[in-house]
Amino acid sequence: MKPYVICHMNASIDGRIHHSRWRPAANRMAGLFERIHEQLGGGSWLTGPVTGIEYSQVESYDHRTTETYPREPWFAQRNATAYGIALDAYGKIAWGRSEIGGDPIVAVLTGSVSDAHLAGLRQDGVSYIFAGERELDLRLALEHLNRELGIERLEVNGGGRANGSFLRAGLVDEISLAIFPAVDGAKGAPSVFDSGDDESSAPAPLRAMTLQSSEVLDGDVVWLRYRLENG
């Protein structure tokens, strides 16, 4: 079993997600992301490694340890109402904290992560799971989160690369998109769904998208929700 996955993002009308580049400036953006998160039901959320690094509070962990850790899930906390989950396949994020906004952090790793990094996570009180030996298996990660932590609904808030990976894996059940009256207009600017060069020719396995709701919010923001049919 996997959680029901909603991908929610704020975007310009050309689908770009770095709001500091939008024109006119998105002055009404403050707090909207959080308000929509609550309207979507709150709960656990997931982000990619680039966004995860923005939450980190130290540059790195000690690169040495005498300990050897099994490549199996480890949890500092298992009874939280919501978790902040970060994809970090190769152990690049040194957190220096155990939670984000009150939500305990769970790192999703591969078996290639060093023992020293695992020691740093444990010292910070950051839980972790493994999903793949050298490349992340996103479906396996979702199954672990459901089985180990009881997560039945997960909001994915990438990075375009992270969002795109879930989409191409056929794991997104719903897209929630708040479109702002602004444009970016730059070639190569980060977008809602993105890919690496090696993934650019792989289409998402979407059979249908059905509009569930549309709503005009303050500031002429349009909020769309689509249910996806994968296969």
Side-chain angles (χ1 to χ4, degrees):
M1 294 290 292
K2 77 168 187 67
Y4 180 85
V5 174
I6 301 175
C7 180
H8 171 70
M9 297 295 289
N10 292 348
S12 61
I13 63 170
D14 52 345
R16 308 304 190 178
I17 57 176
H18 276 199
H19 59 87
S20 63
R21 301 164 51 102
W22 298 354
R23 295 297 181 272
N27 296 322
R28 299 180 180 88
M29 189 169 184
L32 179 61
F33 197 95
E34 291 74 16
R35 292 197 299 274
I36 290 180
H37 173 70
E38 293 304 318
Q39 287 186 252
L40 289 172
S44 297
W45 50 274
L46 179 147
T47 191
V50 175
T51 305
I53 288 174
E54 295 176 2
Y55 289 112
S56 67
Q57 295 183 335
V58 294
E59 290 189 6
S60 64
Y61 291 137
D62 194 327
H63 296 296
R64 298 166 296 176
T65 184
T66 59
E67 298 290 336
T68 300
Y69 299 101
R71 291 332 189 239
E72 59 188 31
W74 182 85
F75 298 100
Q77 186 174 349
R78 301 187 70 129
N79 58 351
T81 302
Y83 296 89
I85 300 154
L87 304 180
D88 188 21
Y90 309 113
K92 301 297 185 182
I93 306 175
W95 292 97
R97 62 194 302 173
S98 63
E99 51 81 22
I100 301 170
D103 299 334
I105 300 168
V106 180
V108 181
L109 313 170
T110 64
S112 64
V113 170
S114 69
D115 288 311
H117 189 77
L118 298 182
L121 294 177
R122 289 181 177 225
Q123 183 175 353
D124 279 342
V126 172
S127 302
Y128 56 80
I129 63 172
F130 293 93
E133 288 300 317
R134 294 193 174 277
E135 299 293 333
L136 283 181
D137 182 331
L138 296 179
R139 183 174 293 276
L140 181 60
L142 293 178
E143 291 172 356
H144 283 329
L145 293 170
N146 176 262
R147 182 176 62 251
E148 299 285 353
L149 297 175
I151 296 175
E152 297 181 347
R153 178 197 164 283
L154 182 65
E155 188 177 312
V156 172
N157 314 124
R161 290 283 295 274
N163 294 343
S165 294
F166 275 94
L167 189 72
R168 286 187 296 277
L171 298 174
V172 179
D173 299 295
E174 181 180 331
I175 294 173
S176 166
L177 189 63
I179 303 174
F180 282 70
V183 294
D184 183 313
K187 180 180 179 180
S191 58
V192 175
F193 295 103
D194 218 329
S195 71
D197 292 338
D198 58 334
E199 304 166 309
S200 59
S201 62
L206 289 176
R207 291 194 295 182
M209 293 177 62
T210 304
L211 182 66
Q212 298 296 296
S213 65
S214 61
E215 184 178 352
V216 178
L217 308 178
D218 291 344
D220 295 326
V221 175
V222 179
W223 181 24
L224 304 174
R225 295 180 67 176
Y226 284 91
R227 185 69 182 266
L228 275 57
E229 182 182 341
N230 295 287

